[in-house]
Amino acid sequence: MRRLPANFLLGAVLVSIVVGIAALSLIWTPHDPQTMSISTKFAPPSATHWLGTDQLGRDVVAQLMAAARNSMTVALVAVLLGGSIGVALGLLASALGGWVEDGVMRLADLGFAFPALLFAIMLAAVFGPSLTNAVLAISFINIPIFARVTRASANQIWTRDYVAAARAAGRGRFAISRDHILPNIAAAIIVQATIEFAVAILAEAALSYLGLGAQPPASSWGRMLSEAQTLMYLAPQLAIYPGLCIVTAVLGFGLLGDGLRDITDPRLVRAR
Amino acid sequence: MAYFLFRRTLGFVLTLLAVSVVVFAVMNVLPGDPALTILGMDASDDALAALREQLGLNEPLATRYFSWVWNALQGDFGLSHSFRVPVSELIAERLPMTISLAIAGMLVTLVLALSLGITAAAQHRRGGDWGVMFLSQLGIAVPAFWLSILLVMLFAVKLRWLPPGGFAGWSDPVAALRSLILPTVALALVQSAVLARVTRSSALEVMRQDFVRTARASGLSQRRVLWRHVLPNALVPIVTIVGMQFAALVTGTIVIENVFYLPGLGRLIFQSIANRDLPTVQALVMLFAAIVVTANFVVDLLYVVIDPRLKART
Amino acid sequence: MIELESLSAHFGNAAALRDANLQIRRGDRLGIVGESGSGKTMLALCLMGMAPDSAHLTGRLSIDGRDMATATERDWRQMRSRRVAMVFQEPMAALNPLRRVGDTVMEPMLLHENLSRAEARARALSLFEEVGILNPEQRLRQFPHEMSGGQRQRVLIALALACNPALLIADEPTTALDANVALRITDLLQRLARERDMALVFISHDLAAVARATQEIVVMYGGDMVERGPTAEVLATPQHPYTKGLLGARPDPAEAGRDANGKRRRLPTIPGSVPPLHGLPQGCRFAGRCPVELAHCADQRPVFTPTEPGRGAACHLLSETGHD
């Protein structure tokens, strides 16, 4: 067993903390995140309110926990949705080749012209801002990313001898894609998914900050920051915690992704 | 070379066309009835009919698409529903703000990222290298809008050195520049995190090559070797990332304008969403996407300028 | 002019260079031969002050009477190009691909001698002529990828000569070149050294090239200098078993270092191969591959034994016959 790289370990610890807190929020938060209490607004940290309360007297810790859950859910759905479509397209392109491959790759190029924010802006203009639209926009930008990674890795596997053997045995392209190609590129896809998870958390936070994502009363780190920004003179501490949460989560998944890549791609480790 | 230029230009034009189809489709087909979207559920039938007539919604989709593209090519993006002026006027008014911010951000990003990346490479596996790698790892994880809030809290609220946001116009250039400092820094710090890493790894790759030893053997200083010999050779991957980062720069500019209340296109687009001003949103999204596509096209051409070897091959 | 006294370079416990002694005077033409890993490139890098940071250097190195032990990087920069210059092995890779070769050659002149661009250009032109580049005017404006390997090597030689160095080190200058191009580059280096009264250190495993270019020769193996003397004599009557092996591996003097297809052979056929640095025996480095090995060879280091003035080898066989 090789020693695990430091970025993997640190990433795993950070991710465990964030995911653990998000999971915990499903069954327990110190207070109800939405309960307002004007009499205790802007309360300093205390035994009852560990990080104090906000402008409406809501408990900050409870809100941060609920926001962690929302953030993880958004990232998970967006990466799964966009990722599975992208992987399917990439496998298809690699299996069929020819004009299908060209077409899929041109479509992927097209996808890169639209940052998630632009797509979210279009959806918000048409349907009104909502968390669903934010999820759709983030999923959408994941499609070309996964399509590219999948096709590039799949094309390498198609040249292997055991694939040639399977073809000689008369197996169809789709059966081979499922039984031979997909298992062999799973590592590359998981690495990409971990990194895109970090990107999705960042995107959700930005969209919610701009009002294109989570709508009141749903808790979101991004929205907490946009509210805190208007209260900078009154309660600057409120602008600190949600940001730290975002950084922890994004850093965690980013490091975990880098670490996984180092573990699964020995070529890169040697190049260091 | 001519063939290369032709192919790239053709690809560029086709991509732009495809982008315009996507934008048009999302903005016109998805909502079903744009007039209803703009005016809301409780609008009167007369008002809806009048707006449909004004937006040309009674024409077939294809006709509307082609007239939109044709007019856009001549600089006519239609009439802003909420501001009651041509969209092109709105854009012309706010474009300088956005361009200044983007260019300033890009320049600071380049200076910062190249210096940090080269320093890290020169100090490979020593203090400076670890420091730069740590900062860039952190920079990738920090959202631009949070960094902006922190900068405002420190430099505007606490130290009172700089304004917390807003922009009073160019009539007072000193005040205008002061308002741009924090937005530029916020934009650049986040952008340069990725670029510094790419610069470092690309420079490390180049430093292993023989000609770097030749340059040292000619008695050139470390500094000159790094900046005049290593950096130009490390540029190709750097330029690729800069091109790809244009998408992030556009996004970043939109976000930063909203954080600092700067009257640019990024603010305009959000005002338009709030006003359900579909023609303006459509024009702006198309404009931003076109900027991203153009940036990637320019990068493709830049490769040839950077590396004379490519001229022979293409 | 340049003196080495028991100069050694260690990476951790492994010695890449052990107790190298050398004196180079103006006009000397010295060949250094040995297989890859024999320490010859390490020696050249030490002379340039360009040994890797991870190498621990001991012993004395002086240039123009100055002890370079205390020299800073800045001091070395003053030496490079003006006192000692170097031509590297791979002309394909040793030139900055994004610069016109003229700019590359002019750069050290502009930096070290404060020449104007016009003066530097004039000197670059005459250097190009001196190293036998045809159409120098036009060549100055070309990029490396527009030139052949031989032309690039000539450009690198011109670059090395840019500031009139007193010593030119050529590290395997012909290895990457075609046979007849290699021959012409060898002759060029030899002629330049004579005409300019410049010292030349010619590092190669190509014995034929070394024989053509040099008056004296040092044979290296595993970081040790195992034999030295006038080139012609050493090649005619080698005293160290390793030198004999090197020579014996030549099918024909004219075809030295090349196989039947005219291709260059990297390692002459001595049984076995050079062990990795840390796997070398502590005594005689050649123990284990030596055909006439004695019992104590692997543990005891042979001392350098002069056999006649300016000639000698480090081998227990010699020192023992010397004692008897």
Side-chain angles (χ1 to χ4, degrees):
Chain A
M1 189 66 199
R2 230 186 9 242
R3 234 187 77 215
L4 292 168
N7 48 5
F8 174 83
L9 290 174
L10 182 58
V13 169
L14 294 181
V15 165
S16 311
I17 293 174
V18 175
V19 171
I21 287 175
L24 180 64
S25 80
L26 288 171
I27 50 170
W28 179 83
T29 49
H31 298 266
D32 179 77
Q34 309 308 347
T35 305
M36 304 176 203
S37 153
I38 299 302
S39 57
T40 58
K41 67 175 179 179
F42 297 128
S46 66
T48 35
H49 298 290
W50 298 337
L51 292 176
T53 60
D54 69 2
Q55 71 279 13
L56 298 172
R58 294 173 296 190
D59 182 60
V60 171
V61 174
Q63 283 204 71
L64 289 174
M65 287 176 71
R69 183 182 63 218
N70 287 342
S71 175
M72 294 301 112
T73 313
V74 168
L76 190 68
V77 174
V79 171
L80 279 183
L81 189 65
S84 41
I85 298 176
V87 169
L89 284 176
L91 282 177
L92 190 75
S94 178
L96 296 182
W99 66 267
V100 177
E101 186 170 19
D102 284 349
V104 169
M105 285 307 113
R106 289 294 84 74
L107 271 182
D109 287 347
L110 185 60
F112 282 108
F114 292 100
L117 179 59
L118 280 192
F119 215 77
I121 284 172
M122 287 199 287
L123 292 181
V126 172
F127 298 115
S130 74
L131 194 57
T132 317
N133 287 343
V135 173
L136 282 179
I138 302 170
S139 311
F140 178 80
I141 54 144
N142 271 308
I143 296 175
I145 296 171
F146 280 90
R148 270 198 183 173
V149 170
T150 305
R151 171 183 160 269
S153 334
N155 277 354
Q156 282 176 9
I157 308 292
W158 274 103
T159 61
R160 300 274 167 84
D161 285 346
Y162 55 81
V163 174
R167 295 188 71 176
R171 308 240 20 220
R173 287 166 177 275
F174 294 106
I176 293 176
S177 289
R178 187 188 61 224
D179 297 343
H180 294 289
I181 309 293
L182 194 54
N184 278 296
I185 62 172
I189 293 174
I190 290 171
V191 167
Q192 195 65 39
T194 314
I195 292 169
E196 294 311 322
F197 208 93
V199 176
I201 295 170
L202 209 48
E204 186 275 328
L207 291 177
S208 293
Y209 168 82
L210 291 168
L212 299 180
Q215 302 299 311
S219 302
S220 156
W221 292 328
R223 224 169 49 74
M224 290 173 78
L225 280 173
S226 83
E227 287 171 13
Q229 191 185 359
T230 60
L231 304 163
M232 249 174 340
Y233 292 87
L234 280 169
Q237 78 278 4
L238 292 180
I240 303 291
Y241 313 126
L244 286 179
C245 290
I246 298 171
V247 172
T248 310
V250 176
L251 198 60
F253 280 99
L255 288 172
L256 188 66
D258 285 352
L260 281 175
R261 185 180 359 227
D262 292 350
I263 293 170
T264 55
D265 192 347
R267 200 167 38 96
L268 284 174
V269 175
R270 249 183 286 124
R272 270 157 181 252
Chain B
M1 184 68 195
Y3 175 66
F4 166 83
L5 276 182
F6 172 74
R7 227 183 38 200
R8 287 296 154 94
T9 313
L10 188 69
F12 168 61
V13 172
L14 286 179
T15 312
L16 271 187
L17 272 180
V19 166
S20 73
V21 171
V22 172
V23 172
F24 185 83
V26 172
M27 301 296 294
N28 289 272
V29 181
L30 280 189
D33 183 355
L36 196 63
T37 308
I38 292 175
L39 293 179
M41 288 301 179
D42 40 320
S44 72
D45 288 347
D46 289 349
L48 284 173
L51 184 60
R52 283 194 197 108
E53 184 61 37
Q54 185 214 322
L55 295 175
L57 297 183
N58 299 324
E59 308 277 330
L61 266 183
T63 317
R64 274 159 60 199
Y65 168 73
F66 284 114
S67 68
W68 174 60
V69 170
W70 181 245
N71 290 334
L73 284 177
Q74 293 162 339
D76 174 9
F77 293 96
L79 204 62
S80 158
H81 175 70
S82 54
F83 291 90
R84 308 264 167 209
V85 290
V87 174
S88 50
E89 267 180 36
L90 287 178
I91 293 178
E93 211 174 279
R94 288 160 171 79
L95 191 62
M97 175 84 253
T98 302
I99 299 260
S100 329
L101 180 56
I103 290 181
M106 200 70 203
L107 286 180
V108 177
T109 300
L110 282 175
V111 171
L112 212 60
L114 293 185
S115 321
L116 287 178
I118 291 284
T119 310
Q123 296 232 332
H124 189 37
R125 292 191 179 158
R126 278 175 282 150
D129 192 15
W130 298 122
V132 169
M133 289 299 278
F134 173 77
L135 281 181
S136 82
Q137 189 80 53
L138 202 62
I140 290 169
V142 172
F145 62 90
W146 185 49
L147 183 68
S148 308
I149 296 175
L150 294 182
L151 288 174
V152 169
M153 286 191 347
L154 179 60
F155 292 104
V157 177
K158 200 160 177 87
L159 299 172
R160 295 178 184 280
W161 289 352
L162 294 163
F167 187 78
W170 289 102
S171 52
D172 180 354
V174 178
L177 285 178
R178 276 166 50 92
S179 332
L180 277 179
I181 292 179
L182 285 184
T184 304
V185 170
L187 191 58
L189 282 180
V190 174
Q191 297 272 315
S192 47
V194 178
L195 202 56
R197 293 192 141 220
V198 176
T199 306
R200 168 185 176 272
S201 58
S202 181
L204 283 177
E205 196 83 22
V206 173
M207 281 161 71
R208 276 200 288 271
Q209 292 181 32
D210 281 0
F211 70 82
V212 175
R213 202 171 50 169
T214 309
R216 272 191 74 201
S218 303
L220 308 189
S221 64
Q222 162 99 342
R223 192 188 180 72
R224 194 175 169 91
V225 171
L226 285 173
W227 287 94
R228 301 295 285 274
H229 290 263
V230 172
L231 184 61
N233 279 281
L235 271 184
V236 166
I238 296 173
V239 165
T240 307
I241 298 297
V242 169
M244 281 166 50
Q245 272 199 320
F246 247 86
L249 184 74
V250 164
T251 305
T253 314
I254 296 176
V255 173
I256 295 288
E257 280 180 14
N258 282 286
V259 179
F260 288 96
Y261 308 104
L262 300 176
L265 297 177
R267 273 299 280 160
L268 178 61
I269 210 169
F270 272 82
Q271 290 162 344
S272 307
I273 293 174
N275 296 331
R276 310 203 148 221
D277 188 347
L278 291 193
T280 309
V281 174
Q282 184 175 332
L284 287 174
V285 170
M286 184 62 217
L287 185 66
F288 281 125
I291 292 174
V292 174
V293 175
T294 309
N296 282 311
F297 173 62
V298 171
V299 162
D300 272 353
L301 299 185
L302 266 185
Y303 289 145
V304 186
V305 179
I306 294 173
D307 195 336
R309 283 169 298 181
L310 290 175
K311 218 177 275 176
R313 247 183 273 146
T314 46
Chain C
M1 185 177 85
I2 292 185
E3 265 180 273
L4 300 185
E5 242 176 79
S6 56
L7 187 73
S8 305
H10 288 264
F11 293 96
N13 286 326
L17 191 64
R18 282 205 304 193
D19 296 322
N21 292 299
L22 205 58
Q23 286 193 347
I24 304 168
R25 288 168 306 266
R26 189 159 262 288
D28 280 357
R29 277 175 288 129
L30 174 73
I32 299 182
V33 294
E35 293 163 274
S36 319
S38 60
K40 50 198 187 353
T41 297
M42 191 64 208
L43 177 66
L45 291 177
C46 286
L47 292 177
M48 295 293 291
M50 282 169 60
D53 290 342
S54 48
H56 178 67
L57 300 183
T58 50
R60 217 177 79 89
L61 164 61
S62 68
I63 299 181
D64 301 330
R66 155 146 201 218
D67 184 355
M68 298 305 281
T70 57
T72 61
E73 175 67 18
R74 179 179 290 269
D75 298 329
W76 271 112
R77 274 204 321 261
Q78 306 297 316
M79 290 292 176
R80 291 178 201 145
S81 200
R82 273 183 279 193
R83 300 300 298 160
V84 279
M86 187 157 171
V87 175
F88 293 97
Q89 183 168 356
E90 289 285 343
M92 297 297 178
L95 282 169
N96 186 335
L98 304 187
R99 290 194 143 207
R100 293 174 199 280
V101 295
D103 292 332
T104 300
V105 173
M106 283 152 64
E107 190 174 21
M109 308 176 199
L110 298 170
L111 284 177
H112 297 313
E113 301 191 6
N114 289 323
L115 295 192
S116 70
R117 268 198 78 82
E119 290 167 327
R121 208 182 115 81
R123 192 194 284 180
L125 263 182
S126 77
L127 278 174
F128 270 30
E129 272 163 23
E130 189 179 352
V131 300
I133 294 176
L134 300 174
N135 300 326
E137 287 269 2
Q138 184 196 335
R139 289 289 182 195
L140 278 177
R141 286 192 302 274
Q142 284 189 329
F143 287 100
H145 72 269
E146 298 169 311
M147 307 183 123
S148 69
Q151 286 164 340
R152 291 188 216 191
Q153 195 58 291
R154 287 175 199 269
V155 169
L156 281 163
I157 294 169
L159 170 64
L161 297 178
C163 297
N164 282 312
L167 166 65
L168 176 65
I169 305 168
D171 185 11
E172 309 244 10
T174 60
T175 310
L177 303 174
D178 287 344
N180 47 359
V181 179
L183 207 64
R184 272 183 265 152
I185 295 288
T186 306
D187 288 346
L188 169 68
L189 287 169
Q190 192 251 105
R191 195 194 79 212
L192 287 169
R194 272 189 297 128
E195 287 176 1
R196 290 172 161 255
D197 192 26
M198 170 180 76
L200 174 70
V201 170
F202 190 97
I203 300 174
S204 183
H205 54 247
D206 185 345
L207 288 171
V210 173
R212 271 181 98 91
T214 65
Q215 309 151 305
E216 278 193 272
I217 193 167
V218 171
V219 181
M220 292 190 69
Y221 182 84
D224 284 0
M225 294 183 161
V226 294
E227 179 163 4
R228 61 171 54 181
T231 306
E233 288 175 38
V234 170
L235 294 187
T237 55
Q239 292 171 335
H240 195 281
Y242 175 65
T243 317
K244 287 177 189 158
L246 270 185
L247 288 164
R250 288 202 299 174
D252 176 324
E255 286 291 299
R258 288 168 210 293
D259 65 17
N261 301 324
K263 286 244 178 76
R264 198 169 307 275
R265 197 182 314 147
R266 257 200 111 69
L267 292 177
T269 46
I270 297 174
S273 59
V274 188
L277 266 189
H278 50 269
L280 284 167
Q282 283 308 302
C284 175
R285 297 297 209 187
F286 196 46
R289 291 177 79 195
C290 183
V292 288
E293 190 172 336
L294 302 173
H296 56 280
C297 279
D299 307 317
Q300 276 180 34
R301 219 168 129 188
V303 292
F304 187 85
T305 314
T307 48
E308 40 194 286
R311 176 110 216 249
C315 178
H316 285 301
L317 285 174
L318 283 181
S319 44
E320 250 136 71
T321 39
H323 285 304
D324 295 343

